[in-house]
Amino acid sequence: MQENLITIPSFLANIALMVLFMPLFSFLILFFFAKYLPQKGDWLASLLSGINAILSIVLFSTVISQQTISGYLLRFDWFQLGNHHFQISFLIDTISTIMLVIVTFISFLVNLYSIEYMRGKRNYQRYFPYLSIFTFAMLGIVLSHNLLLTFMFWELVGFSSYLLIGFWFDKASAVKASKKAFLFNRIGDVGFLIALLLVYNYLHTFDLSEIKKLLVSNSWVTAMPFWISLAGLGFFAACVGKSAQFPLQVWLPDAMEGPTPVSALIHAATMVAAGIYLLVKVHFLLTPEVKIFIAFTGATTAFIGAVPALFQNDIKKVLAYSTISQLGYMVMGMGMGSYAPSFFHLITHAFFKACLFLSVGSIIHAMHEIKYEMFLHKNYNDFDLQDMRLMGGFYKKMPIAFGAYLASSLALIGVPLFSGALSKELLLEQSWVWAQQQAAEGKFVFYIIPILAYSTLLITCLYVFRQLFMVFFGTFRLAEIDIKAKEHFNQLKESHWLLNIPLILLAILSMWWVFAINPIDGTTGWLMLLLGADSFSFHFSPVPLLIIALGVVIFLWRKKELQETLYFFKLNGHSNTSSFLKAIRNDWNMDALYYHTLVNGGFSVATIISKIDTKIIDPLIHAVSVTYVIVGHLAAWVDKYIINGMLHVLLHLNSSLGAFTRSFQGGKVQQYFLFVFVVALGALAWAIF
Amino acid sequence: MDNIPTAHFLILAAALLAIGMALVLVKKNAIMVLMGIELMLNAANINLVAFSRQDAHQLQGQLMAMFVLVVAAAEASIALAMVIKVFYHFKTLDLDELSELKG
Amino acid sequence: MVALIAIAAIYVFAGADFLAIAHIMIYVGGVLVLILFSIMLTRRSDHPYPASNNRSVWTASIITILTFFLLCSLILKINFSTLPLTASPWIADSTAQSLGKLLMTNHIIAFELAGILLMVALMGASWIATQHQENSENTKNNG
């Protein structure tokens, strides 16, 4: 891709800066004044994010209407350290404006959705400022064209994600999940930091376009020294942390402790995509070896993310695992060098996954209503709102949520006529082509990647249908344990329009015609043309379709088993399944593994250190302290008898002097007169004699 | 009349001053102390008048005595007002008891 | 009073007749009346009037007698006869005229200042002597 950047016209710069700083403004206002605003300022957050979405679309249309240039660069001085000049630079090109539109648009919908979803919840006034600060940080990552600035926003994103996962901070599991997410993100961020230092050490700049220029001009691209690989790995580590790739993916399912709209915005559509976006931005730094590594990691993540989703009973965790799996697809695409299909998948995924989360959120909201009604009618019985085993039959009660879920889940699988199909088939096709290319050089091991990718497709198909049937079809199973829940379920109505409008909009955006006219061939779509699809030749293959059909067949064949016996459906918790399946369900037992290796390892290191402490450092300190005590005694003696004695003498002198002078101040007028006369007499006598 | 020596005037003034001093030092009543002060002022005045005889054209001593008189009158009025005030406040004029400013 | 009139007589002897008259008018007519009034105002039947003398009689007498004798010795040491006694021709006349002229010419500023001083003293004395009932109560409340 030939770079052709020009300095930005001022009105575009103003719009871009407005888009960037609007959420910050919203955050500041809501954070300090939300208490005083009507409805705690939720309408303000939605209004500002809506304006932001419109401005982003304006920016986007301006950029894509330009034929000759690929983007606008906004650059100004930041600060100076010695001879090192640092600049702030923002890039406004096709990719960043597309991301801009996605972030602001989904943020707007989520704000709107949250008004109803979060109504009456604790700390309502703190929710919207947190969303705003997240949006600000995310827009910063999107627009920034300077790695240092990106890093700062990157950390801010991690922090706001921490705040939002732990939003219900009085719930112990939420606090734990937020800490976990934060720590796992830090591991990746260390990689980012190392990469930053490497890049600055060799190239003396953080500006991405300059890095690119330097790399090309010094023919480092062909030589590819070791440090470039290392930096590429560092950036990839950051991506692994943020985008929940293997082996750091374990934080994402726990992050579902946050409110559902937050999960939709952050842990499905935008933040987890930041890692992919970073790879898109620094792709010229990735050496072939690193790319292979990335591709394998992505494919592995796609597969091992998808399998646990089959076994989850928590409605949100299924989606969390599917997010991991889809992100794995994108990373795999990045590794294969097909940035455009990856990015395309990122976009479609953002929309359909947000839609999935929001429709599931509607179901949870309905469950909450039922629980609340039961609580009001005095037959309160605690149950898990997100447990799919208690749901069922929602399709009649909530047709809009059902429709949205159906559309987006089909998009998730990749059924033609839905957006996911366009991007996913491109990726699958590419993986096959890439493996063939590599195999031509004798590396047959690369066939693992397409195999993993295609089998993931099958698993995706299974877990999506499983969730679809468990939630929307069948009977309402909560009524089977608690007969009183039945009447409340029957009284359930379609949810509030604030919940439904985002659902409808996102469901529409999960359709194929938004991105391409041809429902099978994504490369003919406008988006792929913008991203440079002409470098691909797309051959339609029926394999994915066959796999999907196979999945449906398997599902219908083993429907009962899938839903009940194998998957821990028994409500009494009894199960005779093998420990292997249990391990898979618990995310391949990776949590336990991490616990044993990292936490216990940490403890043993700490034990060793403490032994060193007691055996070596303590005696040393003890000796030093004994010396100090002796010196101190000496000093105390000197103090007591010499310095104190001097002080006492001074004290006595002072007090007697004071008493003496005080005696003159008798308070009697005549005494004063007496003194005056005596002095006058003395003066007289002196004058005479 | 012209023959009275200046020294006599001065000795008289000295006596008056001594009496005023004695009054100021001895008396307990604040009013009496004030009267002693008046006597001392008058002693000074006598001195001024006596020396003014040496300067018959200018009469500077007498003028000065005039001003001393004026100031003494002002002082007396203020001081007596204060004495009354003090009396209302402390219910006594005993200078031994008026020792608020004792250090 | 006798002492004051006697001082006036001394003034006359010293050739200062106007001053003597002024002295009698100010002291006898003004200050004495003031002193009498204040004695009357401060005398209370229920409160024993302060004993006239306090304890420092001996120190006081020593100091005063010492002062007197020192001054006397000083005065007697000086030979005043060396100073010319300007017996002016109009010494028998009243000095009132010349004093008035001097006051209005050479010493006009001091004269005016003395007037202002008197006025301020008058106002101040009356202000001090009035009982500021509200004020004192306020201070009490504040305190």
Side-chain angles (χ1 to χ4, degrees):
Chain A
M1 199 174 5
Q2 188 58 44
E3 286 235 329
N4 184 11
L5 302 174
I6 62 158
T7 310
I8 189 165
S10 66
F11 83 98
L12 271 184
N14 288 340
I15 292 178
L17 289 177
M18 236 163 102
V19 169
L20 178 59
F21 286 107
M22 187 95 80
L24 185 65
F25 172 70
S26 156
F27 163 73
L28 289 175
I29 286 194
L30 291 175
F31 190 77
F32 291 108
F33 306 113
K35 274 181 282 186
Y36 314 109
L37 292 174
Q39 287 193 43
K40 311 247 170 104
D42 50 9
W43 51 274
L44 185 70
S46 301
L47 181 72
L48 289 178
S49 55
I51 293 171
N52 229 4
I54 292 167
L55 288 177
S56 310
I57 292 168
V58 168
L59 267 183
F60 175 59
S61 54
T62 315
V63 170
I64 58 169
S65 63
Q66 295 293 333
Q67 302 296 322
T68 50
I69 51 170
S70 55
Y72 297 102
L73 198 58
L74 172 62
R75 192 184 277 172
F76 40 89
D77 283 332
W78 189 4
F79 62 90
Q80 188 179 355
L81 281 178
N83 292 326
H84 300 263
H85 294 267
F86 292 89
Q87 287 181 319
I88 288 179
S89 46
F90 294 118
L91 179 68
I92 297 156
D93 65 351
T94 322
I95 291 175
S96 67
T97 48
I98 290 170
M99 275 302 275
L100 216 58
V101 171
I102 291 171
V103 172
T104 54
F105 184 67
I106 295 180
S107 161
F108 167 59
L109 292 183
V110 164
N111 265 310
L112 213 59
Y113 186 91
S114 301
I115 293 175
E116 175 61 23
Y117 188 84
M118 297 298 286
R119 176 165 292 159
K121 301 278 166 62
R122 261 163 303 165
N123 296 323
Y124 185 68
Q125 80 275 15
R126 242 191 267 165
Y127 178 79
F128 290 96
Y130 286 177
L131 272 189
S132 301
I133 192 75
F134 165 76
T135 313
F136 168 66
M138 190 65 208
L139 292 177
I141 292 182
V142 169
L143 285 176
S144 163
H145 202 50
N146 179 311
L147 285 173
L148 191 60
L149 204 61
T150 307
F151 183 66
M152 290 164 76
F153 282 116
W154 187 268
E155 294 296 325
L156 190 56
V157 159
F159 175 66
S160 52
S161 157
Y162 165 79
L163 285 179
L164 283 164
I165 295 170
F167 184 72
W168 283 311
F169 56 83
D170 41 10
K171 211 163 121 196
S173 58
V175 174
K176 237 173 128 181
S178 63
K179 273 190 279 191
K180 189 174 174 184
F182 196 68
L183 289 174
F184 273 93
N185 270 307
R186 284 296 76 68
I187 297 172
D189 293 345
V190 172
F192 199 155
L193 198 58
I194 291 170
L196 272 189
L197 296 176
L198 280 172
V199 166
Y200 195 77
N201 186 34
Y202 285 98
L203 301 177
H204 306 294
T205 179
F206 283 128
D207 194 282
L208 273 169
S209 0
E210 289 191 10
I211 290 170
K212 198 170 183 177
K213 235 182 275 171
L214 282 169
L215 280 180
V216 172
S217 62
N218 293 357
S219 70
W220 263 329
V221 184
T222 45
M224 283 293 172
F226 177 63
W227 69 265
I228 292 187
S229 300
L230 212 57
L233 276 178
F235 288 123
F236 180 57
C239 167
V240 164
K242 195 67 81 191
S243 293
Q245 295 300 296
F246 176 80
L248 298 182
Q249 89 277 29
V250 290
W251 68 267
L252 189 58
D254 282 10
M256 295 301 130
E257 290 289 345
T260 311
V262 168
S263 308
L265 174 64
I266 298 183
H267 308 115
T270 53
M271 184 187 92
V272 290
I276 318 292
Y277 183 74
L278 180 72
L279 287 188
V280 173
K281 286 213 116 177
V282 300
H283 67 87
F284 50 86
L285 269 169
L286 305 174
T287 53
E289 296 81 17
V290 174
K291 278 183 184 170
I292 290 167
F293 180 69
I294 291 174
F296 271 100
T297 312
T300 316
T301 309
F303 183 73
I304 71 164
V307 177
L310 271 174
F311 305 94
Q312 299 302 317
N313 293 321
D314 189 314
I315 190 167
K316 275 172 79 182
K317 283 207 170 165
V318 177
L319 297 180
Y321 282 108
S322 89
T323 305
I324 294 172
S325 157
Q326 298 303 308
L327 290 166
Y329 270 132
M330 296 174 212
V331 168
M332 181 187 79
M334 294 303 302
M336 296 182 307
S338 41
Y339 313 112
S342 268
F343 193 66
F344 186 26
H345 194 54
L346 192 159
I347 296 159
T348 54
H349 175 258
F351 289 124
F352 68 68
K353 191 47 75 65
C355 182
L356 274 173
F357 265 106
L358 293 185
S359 54
V360 153
S362 297
I363 302 296
I364 296 171
H365 198 61
M367 290 293 277
H368 187 268
E369 293 280 301
I370 291 171
K371 192 173 182 177
Y372 184 65
E373 288 292 321
M374 285 169 75
F375 179 70
L376 283 186
H377 290 80
K378 300 281 188 258
N379 39 25
Y380 180 64
N381 200 352
D382 197 16
F383 60 89
D384 188 357
L385 292 176
Q386 304 184 0
D387 197 332
M388 288 196 297
R389 291 171 296 186
L390 302 177
M391 299 175 185
F394 273 107
Y395 80 99
K396 273 179 281 185
K397 289 291 169 193
M398 307 176 75
I400 292 177
F402 173 64
Y405 182 88
L406 193 67
S408 48
S409 63
L410 292 178
L412 170 63
I413 300 171
V415 175
L417 299 182
F418 296 97
S419 63
L422 303 170
S423 51
K424 210 174 197 174
E425 292 205 3
L426 270 177
L427 275 174
L428 291 170
E429 165 87 13
Q430 280 301 308
S431 76
W432 189 252
V433 170
W434 188 69
Q436 273 182 326
Q437 282 168 2
Q438 300 288 337
E441 298 168 22
K443 301 172 189 161
F444 290 101
V445 71
F446 286 88
Y447 275 117
I448 291 175
I449 289 178
I451 290 168
L452 281 175
Y454 280 100
S455 49
T456 302
L457 180 61
L458 178 66
I459 299 167
T460 309
C461 185
L462 286 177
Y463 70 68
V464 167
F465 275 108
R466 173 172 171 262
Q467 190 178 36
L468 184 66
F469 275 81
M470 280 177 88
V471 174
F472 288 98
F473 294 108
T475 53
F476 185 58
R477 285 181 293 272
L478 180 63
E480 288 169 16
I481 6 168
D482 195 341
I483 195 70
K484 289 155 199 149
K486 181 95 183 157
E487 53 179 303
H488 300 305
F489 179 71
N490 286 335
Q491 285 162 5
L492 207 61
K493 287 188 210 63
E494 184 62 70
S495 45
H496 197 269
W497 60 272
L498 277 174
L499 296 186
N500 284 333
I501 284 178
L503 283 183
I504 295 167
L505 283 175
L506 286 170
I508 291 169
L509 286 169
S510 303
M511 298 302 209
W512 87 97
W513 46 263
V514 179
F515 301 99
I517 306 295
N518 187 336
I520 298 162
D521 185 1
T523 51
T524 56
W526 56 273
L527 200 59
M528 282 305 285
L529 290 177
L530 273 179
L531 294 171
D534 37 358
S535 56
F536 296 92
S537 58
F538 180 76
H539 307 286
F540 174 70
S541 80
V543 182
L545 272 181
L546 287 176
I547 288 173
I548 291 166
L550 181 67
V552 173
V553 168
I554 292 176
F555 180 76
L556 292 176
W557 174 41
R558 305 303 292 248
K559 184 177 166 191
K560 198 170 167 58
E561 208 176 6
L562 270 167
Q563 279 196 15
E564 295 181 4
T565 40
L566 183 58
Y567 304 109
F568 306 87
F569 181 56
K570 292 247 187 303
L571 284 167
N572 52 19
H574 168 73
S575 65
N576 51 2
T577 42
S578 68
S579 56
F580 175 66
L581 285 177
K582 273 185 194 165
I584 291 178
R585 177 171 180 261
N586 293 328
D587 202 358
W588 309 85
N589 266 353
M590 274 177 68
D591 266 341
L593 186 75
Y594 284 139
Y595 187 82
H596 285 298
T597 53
L598 294 181
V599 180
N600 289 350
F603 272 128
S604 49
V605 168
T607 319
I608 293 166
I609 289 173
S610 87
K611 268 187 188 152
I612 292 174
D613 227 28
T614 47
K615 291 278 155 59
I616 298 169
I617 298 175
D618 273 6
L620 259 175
I621 291 172
H622 190 69
V624 169
S625 59
V626 164
T627 338
Y628 271 126
V629 168
I630 292 166
V631 171
H633 274 298
L634 273 173
W637 187 83
V638 171
D639 226 29
K640 196 173 172 185
Y641 291 101
I642 297 178
I643 298 175
N644 266 13
M646 279 156 75
L647 273 180
H648 276 298
V649 169
L650 274 179
L651 193 71
H652 275 296
L653 266 175
N654 269 342
S655 60
S656 47
L657 196 67
F660 178 63
T661 44
R662 193 168 158 269
S663 67
F664 297 126
Q665 308 286 326
K668 289 178 190 167
V669 182
Q670 283 162 312
Q671 211 181 353
Y672 300 143
F673 274 128
L674 192 68
F675 293 135
V676 171
F677 290 152
V678 168
V679 170
L681 191 64
L684 193 62
W686 184 74
I688 292 169
F689 305 113
Chain B
M1 289 208 313
D2 299 344
N3 306 334
I4 303 168
T6 311
H8 293 187
F9 283 106
L10 297 186
I11 289 168
L12 180 77
L16 207 54
L17 180 86
I19 293 166
M21 276 168 73
L23 267 180
V24 164
L25 289 180
V26 169
K27 288 293 179 183
K28 275 191 138 178
N29 194 327
I31 296 172
M32 285 304 166
V33 172
L34 281 179
M35 285 168 78
I37 293 173
E38 292 295 329
L39 281 189
M40 287 157 76
L41 280 170
N42 274 315
N45 257 1
I46 289 172
N47 275 8
L48 286 171
V49 170
F51 282 116
S52 114
R53 296 195 309 168
Q54 253 83 22
D55 183 20
H57 295 291
Q58 293 295 312
L59 287 175
Q60 282 184 342
Q62 286 194 28
L63 277 171
M64 187 56 84
M66 278 285 295
F67 290 123
V68 171
L69 219 62
V70 166
V71 172
E75 174 258 336
S77 61
I78 295 277
L80 285 168
M82 279 164 69
V83 161
I84 290 168
K85 201 70 191 162
V86 164
F87 180 74
Y88 281 135
H89 194 261
F90 292 102
K91 308 294 178 210
T92 180
L93 284 179
D94 190 342
L95 286 175
D96 285 351
E97 290 173 32
L98 300 176
S99 53
E100 284 275 293
L101 283 175
K102 185 172 167 63
Chain C
M1 188 183 162
V2 179
L4 292 169
I5 292 174
I7 291 168
I10 298 294
Y11 286 159
V12 176
F13 281 125
D17 53 346
F18 175 76
L19 208 61
I21 299 298
H23 188 262
I24 287 170
M25 280 171 70
I26 290 170
Y27 273 92
V28 180
V31 176
L32 261 183
V33 171
L34 271 176
I35 288 174
L36 281 177
F37 263 101
S38 55
I39 287 174
M40 284 184 329
L41 279 169
T42 57
R43 189 182 289 274
R44 299 168 63 149
S45 53
D46 56 334
H47 194 272
Y49 206 71
S52 59
N53 294 345
N54 69 8
R55 272 163 300 173
S56 56
V57 178
W58 285 110
T59 26
S61 45
I62 290 168
I63 287 172
T64 44
I65 291 164
L66 255 177
T67 315
F68 178 67
F69 280 110
L70 271 175
L71 283 174
C72 283
S73 64
L74 187 66
I75 291 160
L76 291 177
K77 256 193 197 171
I78 301 163
N79 190 3
F80 282 106
S81 53
T82 53
L83 291 168
L85 254 180
T86 49
S88 54
W90 40 265
I91 195 126
D93 301 340
S94 166
T95 54
Q97 198 181 5
S98 49
L99 265 178
K101 275 183 188 165
L102 282 170
L103 277 178
M104 281 299 156
T105 52
N106 291 1
H107 302 280
I108 179 74
I109 293 172
F111 182 70
E112 293 294 332
L113 278 176
I116 291 170
L117 175 77
L118 270 177
M119 189 185 70
V120 170
L122 200 68
M123 284 161 61
S126 56
W127 184 80
I128 289 170
T130 39
Q131 295 197 14
H132 303 283
Q133 205 64 45
E134 317 88 331
N135 244 348
S136 58
E137 269 178 19
N138 281 348
T139 46
K140 257 178 223 161
N141 289 343
N142 291 340

